[in-house]
Amino acid sequence: MNILLFNLAVALAVLNALSLLAKPESLRGLGRVAGGLSWILFGSALLLMVRSQTLSADVSLSSWVLIGCGVLACASGARKYARRNLPA
């Protein structure tokens, strides 16, 4: 399960990076959403590793910070996408 979350997070991070090459701002907004989801999945994978005692419990706080940053990035990207994708 951890490796699946990690691989999905990596795929979303790649989409985030590729979206920076797009000209339309709406696609960049969707890239931010993908990047935020990537951070959420990275944090969740770390939390699962802490729970299974693969990692030290010291990583828990950092994992929650990653998840919080991911939520913020998703919200920011959704807002940017909505603003740039309005019909004229």
Side-chain angles (χ1 to χ4, degrees), residues 26-62:
S26 60
L27 288 179
R28 290 189 202 172
L30 282 177
R32 281 189 189 175
V33 172
L37 288 174
S38 175
W39 285 117
I40 291 169
L41 292 176
F42 277 129
S44 299
L46 289 174
L47 281 176
L48 285 173
M49 285 190 248
V50 167
R51 187 172 179 207
S52 68
Q53 298 177 347
T54 307
L55 285 176
S56 168
D58 298 336
V59 181
S60 293
L61 179 61
S62 299

Side-chain angles (χ1 to χ4, degrees), residues 2-85:
N2 293 342
I3 195 70
L4 177 66
L5 282 178
F6 187 80
N7 287 334
L8 188 56
V10 169
L12 288 170
V14 169
L15 285 176
N16 178 25
L18 290 176
S19 75
L20 296 174
L21 301 173
K23 186 169 176 99
E25 288 291 322
S26 60
L27 288 179
R28 290 189 202 172
L30 282 177
R32 281 189 189 175
V33 172
L37 288 174
S38 175
W39 285 117
I40 291 169
L41 292 176
F42 277 129
S44 299
L46 289 174
L47 281 176
L48 285 173
M49 285 190 248
V50 167
R51 187 172 179 207
S52 68
Q53 298 177 347
T54 307
L55 285 176
S56 168
D58 298 336
V59 181
S60 293
L61 179 61
S62 299
S63 301
W64 284 110
V65 170
L66 282 176
I67 291 171
C69 290
V71 169
L72 183 63
C74 279
S76 171
R79 180 175 173 257
K80 184 171 189 160
Y81 176 78
R83 280 192 334 197
R84 303 292 186 193
N85 208 29

